[in-house]
Amino acid sequence: MPMRMEGASRLFAKPRAMTGAEIETVIARFAETAALAEQADFDGVQIHAAHGYLLSQFLSPLTNLRTDGWGGSLENRARLLVEIVRAVRARVSPGFGVGVKLNSSDFQKGGFGAEDAVAVVRMLNDMPVDLVELSGGSYESPAMHGRPAAASTVAREAYFVDFARDVVAEARMPVLVTGGIRRRTTAEAALAPEDGRPGVAMVGLAQALAFAPDLPNRWRAGEAAVEVPGIRWKSRPLASLATMALAKRQLRRMGAGKRPTPRAWAPGVVACDQLRTIWRSRRYRAWLQARRQA
């Protein structure tokens, strides 16, 4: 299913169905990467099955049009995720954390929805998964950056907390909710029960921490919120790219020993980020070709 990104579709190649051998290779690569992460002294890994990336595409009936054992029913569409979890767990020690990031919804008609997400969490209940993180959307409908096409929590920071409370009631593992949390009061509200429904175990603060890595200390000192630039371009997919590019810019600044700054010309940051991605992709393809010829 080709990407539909309001003028940005041309940035993506026309997709094709993966072969069975390619799928098995992907499973093996996830497992190998997890093993290498443990060898490098990381405490755990997260399997990203949200935001329209490969595993999310397999989960969605809108993009997974396969008619073999990897498509059709939800059980088949979730098979790749399940097999990867099994393969990863088989390669790491019992104390090594394995989490899954899952969409609450794709926010696309005919796509992966809330009932699907609950069903997948039930599948994961029977597996050695230590954490489920709930997000939502994709680059075609970037709800993960606070602008879902239709959602009851659109006006709130914790975009997916309402749905997360329903998942907590079904999940046997801890549930983390992410999505634009910048204020301590918002985080505390997500953690607390509400109207008889349980709170989540943890909240994600990645974007806020990119702009304010000392945010927990600020909260302890009584500071209400952190300044995170909002991108409100007409094209939601391009606004989503800009939001990510600005956050990544902060990470690069901190890596260079500089302090984060929310002040930047978003179009220029996006252009530089895209050029950097093109350059790195070319280097990677050249490395792959040299490896095959060796």
Side-chain angles (χ1 to χ4, degrees):
M1 176 67 69
M3 294 284 288
R4 298 172 182 175
M5 285 187 59
E6 298 180 18
S9 301
R10 65 183 182 280
L11 298 175
F12 299 88
K14 183 179 180 180
R16 63 169 178 80
M18 296 174 67
T19 65
E22 288 173 331
I23 291 174
E24 295 297 336
T25 297
V26 165
I27 295 171
R29 287 181 177 179
F30 268 93
E32 177 68 12
T33 301
L36 292 173
E38 184 173 29
Q39 292 175 24
D41 288 333
F42 284 91
D43 296 320
V45 294
Q46 183 184 70
I47 299 167
H48 199 331
H51 298 172
Y53 292 112
L54 181 63
L55 304 191
S56 179
Q57 292 173 20
F58 266 79
L59 287 170
S60 173
L62 187 64
T63 51
N64 185 346
L65 306 180
R66 304 179 70 98
T67 57
D68 58 7
W70 302 98
S73 68
L74 179 58
E75 288 73 17
N76 283 357
R77 287 183 277 119
R79 181 182 168 193
L80 180 57
L81 171 60
V82 168
E83 293 297 331
I84 286 172
V85 171
R86 287 174 177 159
V88 166
R89 182 49 79 189
R91 289 290 304 275
V92 299
S93 64
F96 188 74
V98 176
V100 172
K101 187 165 188 170
L102 189 68
N103 267 356
S104 58
S105 172
D106 290 345
F107 294 97
Q108 291 179 280
K109 185 177 180 180
F112 186 80
E115 292 183 0
D116 295 326
V118 171
V120 172
V121 169
R122 288 175 181 149
M123 295 179 199
L124 297 176
N125 276 339
D126 297 325
M127 306 188 70
V129 173
D130 300 300
L131 175 76
V132 165
E133 177 183 356
L134 291 175
S135 186
S138 67
Y139 294 114
E140 294 171 288
S141 182
M144 62 282 198
H145 291 140
R147 301 182 67 191
S152 61
T153 53
V154 67
R156 304 174 64 174
E157 288 178 39
Y159 318 131
F160 314 110
V161 69
D162 285 341
F163 173 76
R165 294 183 189 278
D166 295 333
V167 171
V168 171
E170 300 285 344
R172 297 176 192 165
M173 73 290 287
V175 174
L176 178 152
V177 70
T178 188
I181 298 174
R182 303 185 303 275
R183 296 180 298 167
R184 176 174 174 170
T185 54
T186 303
E188 290 175 338
L191 296 168
E194 180 182 88
D195 298 330
R197 296 188 299 163
V200 298
M202 289 178 277
V203 296
L205 302 171
Q207 187 182 33
L209 288 171
F211 290 89
D214 59 341
L215 181 59
N217 289 335
R218 294 190 188 188
W219 280 356
R220 289 192 182 99
E223 187 172 335
V226 60
E227 180 186 359
V228 175
I231 306 297
R232 293 294 179 262
W233 294 349
K234 183 177 180 181
S235 170
R236 292 187 296 117
L238 291 180
S240 179
L241 288 175
T243 298
M244 289 189 299
L246 287 170
K248 288 189 286 185
R249 180 173 184 265
Q250 312 313 315
L251 300 181
R252 288 193 296 272
R253 285 181 61 86
M254 287 187 282
K258 301 177 182 179
R259 293 187 60 81
T261 174
R263 297 172 181 81
W265 187 51
V269 174
V270 171
C272 289
D273 192 62
Q274 291 300 303
L275 289 173
R276 187 179 294 105
T277 298
I278 292 172
W279 175 68
R280 288 177 175 172
S281 297
R282 288 175 177 172
R283 285 187 61 190
Y284 178 64
R285 285 194 292 268
W287 175 81
L288 282 178
Q289 185 176 2
R291 186 180 181 184
R292 295 190 189 102
Q293 294 175 348

PDB file of all heavy atoms in Angstrom, residues 60-87:
ATOM      1  N   SER A  60      -1.558  -3.721  10.666  1.00  0.00           N
ATOM      2  CA  SER A  60      -2.695  -2.972  10.132  1.00  0.00           C
ATOM      3  C   SER A  60      -3.333  -3.668   8.928  1.00  0.00           C
ATOM      4  O   SER A  60      -2.642  -3.986   7.955  1.00  0.00           O
ATOM      5  CB  SER A  60      -2.252  -1.568   9.705  1.00  0.00           C
ATOM      6  OG  SER A  60      -3.303  -0.897   9.035  1.00  0.00           O
ATOM      7  N   PRO A  61      -4.649  -3.873   8.949  1.00  0.00           N
ATOM      8  CA  PRO A  61      -5.317  -4.449   7.773  1.00  0.00           C
ATOM      9  C   PRO A  61      -5.336  -3.491   6.583  1.00  0.00           C
ATOM     10  O   PRO A  61      -5.611  -3.908   5.460  1.00  0.00           O
ATOM     11  CB  PRO A  61      -6.741  -4.720   8.277  1.00  0.00           C
ATOM     12  CG  PRO A  61      -6.941  -3.739   9.387  1.00  0.00           C
ATOM     13  CD  PRO A  61      -5.592  -3.590  10.047  1.00  0.00           C
ATOM     14  N   LEU A  62      -5.032  -2.225   6.825  1.00  0.00           N
ATOM     15  CA  LEU A  62      -4.999  -1.248   5.742  1.00  0.00           C
ATOM     16  C   LEU A  62      -3.751  -1.411   4.883  1.00  0.00           C
ATOM     17  O   LEU A  62      -3.782  -1.187   3.677  1.00  0.00           O
ATOM     18  CB  LEU A  62      -5.046   0.167   6.327  1.00  0.00           C
ATOM     19  CG  LEU A  62      -5.185   1.324   5.334  1.00  0.00           C
ATOM     20  CD1 LEU A  62      -6.507   1.239   4.593  1.00  0.00           C
ATOM     21  CD2 LEU A  62      -5.062   2.658   6.053  1.00  0.00           C
ATOM     22  N   THR A  63      -2.646  -1.813   5.506  1.00  0.00           N
ATOM     23  CA  THR A  63      -1.382  -1.950   4.776  1.00  0.00           C
ATOM     24  C   THR A  63      -0.965  -3.399   4.565  1.00  0.00           C
ATOM     25  O   THR A  63      -0.203  -3.706   3.649  1.00  0.00           O
ATOM     26  CB  THR A  63      -0.251  -1.215   5.517  1.00  0.00           C
ATOM     27  OG1 THR A  63      -0.233  -1.636   6.891  1.00  0.00           O
ATOM     28  CG2 THR A  63      -0.459   0.288   5.461  1.00  0.00           C
ATOM     29  N   ASN A  64      -1.431  -4.296   5.414  1.00  0.00           N
ATOM     30  CA  ASN A  64      -1.106  -5.710   5.257  1.00  0.00           C
ATOM     31  C   ASN A  64      -2.195  -6.373   4.431  1.00  0.00           C
ATOM     32  O   ASN A  64      -3.260  -6.733   4.937  1.00  0.00           O
ATOM     33  CB  ASN A  64      -0.989  -6.380   6.629  1.00  0.00           C
ATOM     34  CG  ASN A  64      -0.517  -7.834   6.519  1.00  0.00           C
ATOM     35  OD1 ASN A  64      -0.524  -8.425   5.441  1.00  0.00           O
ATOM     36  ND2 ASN A  64      -0.117  -8.407   7.643  1.00  0.00           N
ATOM     37  N   LEU A  65      -1.910  -6.543   3.151  1.00  0.00           N
ATOM     38  CA  LEU A  65      -2.864  -7.141   2.223  1.00  0.00           C
ATOM     39  C   LEU A  65      -2.464  -8.561   1.848  1.00  0.00           C
ATOM     40  O   LEU A  65      -2.959  -9.115   0.863  1.00  0.00           O
ATOM     41  CB  LEU A  65      -2.962  -6.272   0.958  1.00  0.00           C
ATOM     42  CG  LEU A  65      -3.284  -4.794   1.182  1.00  0.00           C
ATOM     43  CD1 LEU A  65      -3.342  -4.051  -0.144  1.00  0.00           C
ATOM     44  CD2 LEU A  65      -4.595  -4.632   1.942  1.00  0.00           C
ATOM     45  N   ARG A  66      -1.592  -9.167   2.647  1.00  0.00           N
ATOM     46  CA  ARG A  66      -1.108 -10.504   2.350  1.00  0.00           C
ATOM     47  C   ARG A  66      -2.225 -11.524   2.500  1.00  0.00           C
ATOM     48  O   ARG A  66      -3.180 -11.348   3.269  1.00  0.00           O
ATOM     49  CB  ARG A  66       0.055 -10.865   3.276  1.00  0.00           C
ATOM     50  CG  ARG A  66       1.221  -9.894   3.235  1.00  0.00           C
ATOM     51  CD  ARG A  66       2.307 -10.326   4.206  1.00  0.00           C
ATOM     52  NE  ARG A  66       2.974 -11.534   3.747  1.00  0.00           N
ATOM     53  CZ  ARG A  66       4.135 -11.556   3.100  1.00  0.00           C
ATOM     54  NH1 ARG A  66       4.771 -10.413   2.837  1.00  0.00           N
ATOM     55  NH2 ARG A  66       4.678 -12.685   2.735  1.00  0.00           N
ATOM     56  N   THR A  67      -2.089 -12.619   1.778  1.00  0.00           N
ATOM     57  CA  THR A  67      -3.071 -13.704   1.842  1.00  0.00           C
ATOM     58  C   THR A  67      -2.446 -14.999   2.356  1.00  0.00           C
ATOM     59  O   THR A  67      -3.073 -16.060   2.309  1.00  0.00           O
ATOM     60  CB  THR A  67      -3.687 -13.955   0.454  1.00  0.00           C
ATOM     61  OG1 THR A  67      -2.648 -14.259  -0.491  1.00  0.00           O
ATOM     62  CG2 THR A  67      -4.466 -12.738  -0.024  1.00  0.00           C
ATOM     63  N   ASP A  68      -1.199 -14.897   2.867  1.00  0.00           N
ATOM     64  CA  ASP A  68      -0.529 -16.090   3.400  1.00  0.00           C
ATOM     65  C   ASP A  68      -0.627 -16.090   4.925  1.00  0.00           C
ATOM     66  O   ASP A  68      -1.485 -15.427   5.509  1.00  0.00           O
ATOM     67  CB  ASP A  68       0.925 -16.141   2.926  1.00  0.00           C
ATOM     68  CG  ASP A  68       1.720 -14.901   3.330  1.00  0.00           C
ATOM     69  OD1 ASP A  68       1.176 -14.059   4.088  1.00  0.00           O
ATOM     70  OD2 ASP A  68       2.874 -14.766   2.907  1.00  0.00           O
ATOM     71  N   GLY A  69       0.244 -16.817   5.571  1.00  0.00           N
ATOM     72  CA  GLY A  69       0.213 -16.942   7.016  1.00  0.00           C
ATOM     73  C   GLY A  69       0.633 -15.705   7.779  1.00  0.00           C
ATOM     74  O   GLY A  69       0.574 -15.683   9.019  1.00  0.00           O
ATOM     75  N   TRP A  70       1.042 -14.653   7.056  1.00  0.00           N
ATOM     76  CA  TRP A  70       1.459 -13.406   7.690  1.00  0.00           C
ATOM     77  C   TRP A  70       0.418 -12.300   7.504  1.00  0.00           C
ATOM     78  O   TRP A  70       0.675 -11.143   7.856  1.00  0.00           O
ATOM     79  CB  TRP A  70       2.805 -12.947   7.121  1.00  0.00           C
ATOM     80  CG  TRP A  70       3.898 -13.949   7.278  1.00  0.00           C
ATOM     81  CD1 TRP A  70       4.327 -14.835   6.335  1.00  0.00           C
ATOM     82  CD2 TRP A  70       4.706 -14.187   8.434  1.00  0.00           C
ATOM     83  NE1 TRP A  70       5.353 -15.609   6.822  1.00  0.00           N
ATOM     84  CE2 TRP A  70       5.606 -15.226   8.111  1.00  0.00           C
ATOM     85  CE3 TRP A  70       4.750 -13.617   9.718  1.00  0.00           C
ATOM     86  CZ2 TRP A  70       6.541 -15.715   9.030  1.00  0.00           C
ATOM     87  CZ3 TRP A  70       5.691 -14.105  10.627  1.00  0.00           C
ATOM     88  CH2 TRP A  70       6.567 -15.135  10.280  1.00  0.00           C
ATOM     89  N   GLY A  71      -0.740 -12.628   6.971  1.00  0.00           N
ATOM     90  CA  GLY A  71      -1.769 -11.627   6.734  1.00  0.00           C
ATOM     91  C   GLY A  71      -3.156 -12.218   6.894  1.00  0.00           C
ATOM     92  O   GLY A  71      -3.328 -13.416   7.129  1.00  0.00           O
ATOM     93  N   GLY A  72      -4.159 -11.330   6.792  1.00  0.00           N
ATOM     94  CA  GLY A  72      -5.533 -11.790   6.933  1.00  0.00           C
ATOM     95  C   GLY A  72      -6.064 -11.546   8.326  1.00  0.00           C
ATOM     96  O   GLY A  72      -6.375 -10.408   8.692  1.00  0.00           O
ATOM     97  N   SER A  73      -6.157 -12.581   9.142  1.00  0.00           N
ATOM     98  CA  SER A  73      -6.669 -12.442  10.501  1.00  0.00           C
ATOM     99  C   SER A  73      -5.708 -11.644  11.368  1.00  0.00           C
ATOM    100  O   SER A  73      -4.513 -11.508  11.055  1.00  0.00           O
ATOM    101  CB  SER A  73      -6.888 -13.821  11.124  1.00  0.00           C
ATOM    102  OG  SER A  73      -5.635 -14.465  11.341  1.00  0.00           O
ATOM    103  N   LEU A  74      -6.193 -11.115  12.480  1.00  0.00           N
ATOM    104  CA  LEU A  74      -5.318 -10.376  13.389  1.00  0.00           C
ATOM    105  C   LEU A  74      -4.212 -11.271  13.931  1.00  0.00           C
ATOM    106  O   LEU A  74      -3.068 -10.821  14.101  1.00  0.00           O
ATOM    107  CB  LEU A  74      -6.134  -9.796  14.541  1.00  0.00           C
ATOM    108  CG  LEU A  74      -5.334  -9.005  15.593  1.00  0.00           C
ATOM    109  CD1 LEU A  74      -4.589  -7.840  14.946  1.00  0.00           C
ATOM    110  CD2 LEU A  74      -6.247  -8.514  16.708  1.00  0.00           C
ATOM    111  N   GLU A  75      -4.534 -12.528  14.190  1.00  0.00           N
ATOM    112  CA  GLU A  75      -3.508 -13.458  14.678  1.00  0.00           C
ATOM    113  C   GLU A  75      -2.374 -13.586  13.666  1.00  0.00           C
ATOM    114  O   GLU A  75      -1.194 -13.610  14.047  1.00  0.00           O
ATOM    115  CB  GLU A  75      -4.136 -14.834  14.949  1.00  0.00           C
ATOM    116  CG  GLU A  75      -5.037 -14.901  16.161  1.00  0.00           C
ATOM    117  CD  GLU A  75      -6.378 -14.210  15.947  1.00  0.00           C
ATOM    118  OE1 GLU A  75      -6.748 -13.956  14.754  1.00  0.00           O
ATOM    119  OE2 GLU A  75      -7.045 -13.897  16.935  1.00  0.00           O
ATOM    120  N   ASN A  76      -2.713 -13.652  12.380  1.00  0.00           N
ATOM    121  CA  ASN A  76      -1.680 -13.730  11.350  1.00  0.00           C
ATOM    122  C   ASN A  76      -0.923 -12.413  11.221  1.00  0.00           C
ATOM    123  O   ASN A  76       0.300 -12.397  11.049  1.00  0.00           O
ATOM    124  CB  ASN A  76      -2.297 -14.101  10.004  1.00  0.00           C
ATOM    125  CG  ASN A  76      -2.634 -15.574   9.892  1.00  0.00           C
ATOM    126  OD1 ASN A  76      -2.367 -16.352  10.809  1.00  0.00           O
ATOM    127  ND2 ASN A  76      -3.245 -15.962   8.791  1.00  0.00           N
ATOM    128  N   ARG A  77      -1.648 -11.300  11.289  1.00  0.00           N
ATOM    129  CA  ARG A  77      -1.002 -10.002  11.160  1.00  0.00           C
ATOM    130  C   ARG A  77      -0.078  -9.710  12.348  1.00  0.00           C
ATOM    131  O   ARG A  77       0.919  -8.992  12.213  1.00  0.00           O
ATOM    132  CB  ARG A  77      -2.047  -8.891  11.021  1.00  0.00           C
ATOM    133  CG  ARG A  77      -2.735  -8.888   9.670  1.00  0.00           C
ATOM    134  CD  ARG A  77      -3.713  -7.742   9.512  1.00  0.00           C
ATOM    135  NE  ARG A  77      -5.018  -8.031  10.098  1.00  0.00           N
ATOM    136  CZ  ARG A  77      -5.591  -7.350  11.076  1.00  0.00           C
ATOM    137  NH1 ARG A  77      -4.954  -6.318  11.617  1.00  0.00           N
ATOM    138  NH2 ARG A  77      -6.785  -7.672  11.527  1.00  0.00           N
ATOM    139  N   ALA A  78      -0.404 -10.274  13.502  1.00  0.00           N
ATOM    140  CA  ALA A  78       0.435 -10.092  14.695  1.00  0.00           C
ATOM    141  C   ALA A  78       1.542 -11.138  14.781  1.00  0.00           C
ATOM    142  O   ALA A  78       2.383 -11.073  15.683  1.00  0.00           O
ATOM    143  CB  ALA A  78      -0.427 -10.154  15.952  1.00  0.00           C
ATOM    144  N   ARG A  79       1.555 -12.064  13.858  1.00  0.00           N
ATOM    145  CA  ARG A  79       2.514 -13.165  13.921  1.00  0.00           C
ATOM    146  C   ARG A  79       3.957 -12.681  13.899  1.00  0.00           C
ATOM    147  O   ARG A  79       4.806 -13.191  14.649  1.00  0.00           O
ATOM    148  CB  ARG A  79       2.259 -14.122  12.749  1.00  0.00           C
ATOM    149  CG  ARG A  79       3.187 -15.328  12.715  1.00  0.00           C
ATOM    150  CD  ARG A  79       2.885 -16.184  11.489  1.00  0.00           C
ATOM    151  NE  ARG A  79       3.922 -17.181  11.252  1.00  0.00           N
ATOM    152  CZ  ARG A  79       4.033 -17.883  10.135  1.00  0.00           C
ATOM    153  NH1 ARG A  79       3.150 -17.703   9.147  1.00  0.00           N
ATOM    154  NH2 ARG A  79       5.016 -18.767   9.981  1.00  0.00           N
ATOM    155  N   LEU A  80       4.261 -11.690  13.059  1.00  0.00           N
ATOM    156  CA  LEU A  80       5.635 -11.197  12.985  1.00  0.00           C
ATOM    157  C   LEU A  80       6.072 -10.623  14.329  1.00  0.00           C
ATOM    158  O   LEU A  80       7.177 -10.909  14.809  1.00  0.00           O
ATOM    159  CB  LEU A  80       5.770 -10.143  11.887  1.00  0.00           C
ATOM    160  CG  LEU A  80       7.167  -9.538  11.710  1.00  0.00           C
ATOM    161  CD1 LEU A  80       8.204 -10.620  11.441  1.00  0.00           C
ATOM    162  CD2 LEU A  80       7.169  -8.506  10.591  1.00  0.00           C
ATOM    163  N   LEU A  81       5.228  -9.817  14.952  1.00  0.00           N
ATOM    164  CA  LEU A  81       5.561  -9.270  16.268  1.00  0.00           C
ATOM    165  C   LEU A  81       5.769 -10.389  17.283  1.00  0.00           C
ATOM    166  O   LEU A  81       6.752 -10.373  18.041  1.00  0.00           O
ATOM    167  CB  LEU A  81       4.443  -8.333  16.731  1.00  0.00           C
ATOM    168  CG  LEU A  81       4.525  -7.833  18.178  1.00  0.00           C
ATOM    169  CD1 LEU A  81       5.806  -7.047  18.412  1.00  0.00           C
ATOM    170  CD2 LEU A  81       3.305  -6.990  18.509  1.00  0.00           C
ATOM    171  N   VAL A  82       4.870 -11.354  17.307  1.00  0.00           N
ATOM    172  CA  VAL A  82       4.971 -12.457  18.265  1.00  0.00           C
ATOM    173  C   VAL A  82       6.253 -13.258  18.047  1.00  0.00           C
ATOM    174  O   VAL A  82       6.964 -13.599  19.010  1.00  0.00           O
ATOM    175  CB  VAL A  82       3.726 -13.365  18.145  1.00  0.00           C
ATOM    176  CG1 VAL A  82       3.929 -14.667  18.916  1.00  0.00           C
ATOM    177  CG2 VAL A  82       2.487 -12.635  18.657  1.00  0.00           C
ATOM    178  N   GLU A  83       6.575 -13.549  16.790  1.00  0.00           N
ATOM    179  CA  GLU A  83       7.783 -14.318  16.492  1.00  0.00           C
ATOM    180  C   GLU A  83       9.042 -13.547  16.876  1.00  0.00           C
ATOM    181  O   GLU A  83      10.033 -14.132  17.339  1.00  0.00           O
ATOM    182  CB  GLU A  83       7.816 -14.697  15.015  1.00  0.00           C
ATOM    183  CG  GLU A  83       6.739 -15.681  14.589  1.00  0.00           C
ATOM    184  CD  GLU A  83       6.875 -17.033  15.283  1.00  0.00           C
ATOM    185  OE1 GLU A  83       8.012 -17.412  15.629  1.00  0.00           O
ATOM    186  OE2 GLU A  83       5.845 -17.703  15.478  1.00  0.00           O
ATOM    187  N   ILE A  84       9.017 -12.233  16.692  1.00  0.00           N
ATOM    188  CA  ILE A  84      10.172 -11.427  17.070  1.00  0.00           C
ATOM    189  C   ILE A  84      10.347 -11.416  18.586  1.00  0.00           C
ATOM    190  O   ILE A  84      11.478 -11.541  19.098  1.00  0.00           O
ATOM    191  CB  ILE A  84      10.030  -9.996  16.519  1.00  0.00           C
ATOM    192  CG1 ILE A  84      10.274  -9.999  15.006  1.00  0.00           C
ATOM    193  CG2 ILE A  84      10.997  -9.034  17.205  1.00  0.00           C
ATOM    194  CD1 ILE A  84       9.981  -8.676  14.331  1.00  0.00           C
ATOM    195  N   VAL A  85       9.254 -11.277  19.320  1.00  0.00           N
ATOM    196  CA  VAL A  85       9.347 -11.315  20.787  1.00  0.00           C
ATOM    197  C   VAL A  85       9.946 -12.643  21.231  1.00  0.00           C
ATOM    198  O   VAL A  85      10.844 -12.682  22.090  1.00  0.00           O
ATOM    199  CB  VAL A  85       7.962 -11.103  21.420  1.00  0.00           C
ATOM    200  CG1 VAL A  85       8.016 -11.365  22.924  1.00  0.00           C
ATOM    201  CG2 VAL A  85       7.472  -9.683  21.169  1.00  0.00           C
ATOM    202  N   ARG A  86       9.483 -13.730  20.661  1.00  0.00           N
ATOM    203  CA  ARG A  86      10.014 -15.044  21.023  1.00  0.00           C
ATOM    204  C   ARG A  86      11.498 -15.167  20.694  1.00  0.00           C
ATOM    205  O   ARG A  86      12.294 -15.664  21.492  1.00  0.00           O
ATOM    206  CB  ARG A  86       9.233 -16.140  20.298  1.00  0.00           C
ATOM    207  CG  ARG A  86       7.833 -16.364  20.838  1.00  0.00           C
ATOM    208  CD  ARG A  86       7.079 -17.357  19.981  1.00  0.00           C
ATOM    209  NE  ARG A  86       5.748 -17.625  20.530  1.00  0.00           N
ATOM    210  CZ  ARG A  86       4.738 -18.105  19.826  1.00  0.00           C
ATOM    211  NH1 ARG A  86       4.898 -18.366  18.525  1.00  0.00           N
ATOM    212  NH2 ARG A  86       3.563 -18.322  20.395  1.00  0.00           N
ATOM    213  N   ALA A  87      11.869 -14.712  19.507  1.00  0.00           N
ATOM    214  CA  ALA A  87      13.259 -14.817  19.081  1.00  0.00           C
ATOM    215  C   ALA A  87      14.178 -13.952  19.938  1.00  0.00           C
ATOM    216  O   ALA A  87      15.295 -14.368  20.304  1.00  0.00           O
ATOM    217  CB  ALA A  87      13.383 -14.421  17.607  1.00  0.00           C
TER     218      ALA A  87
END
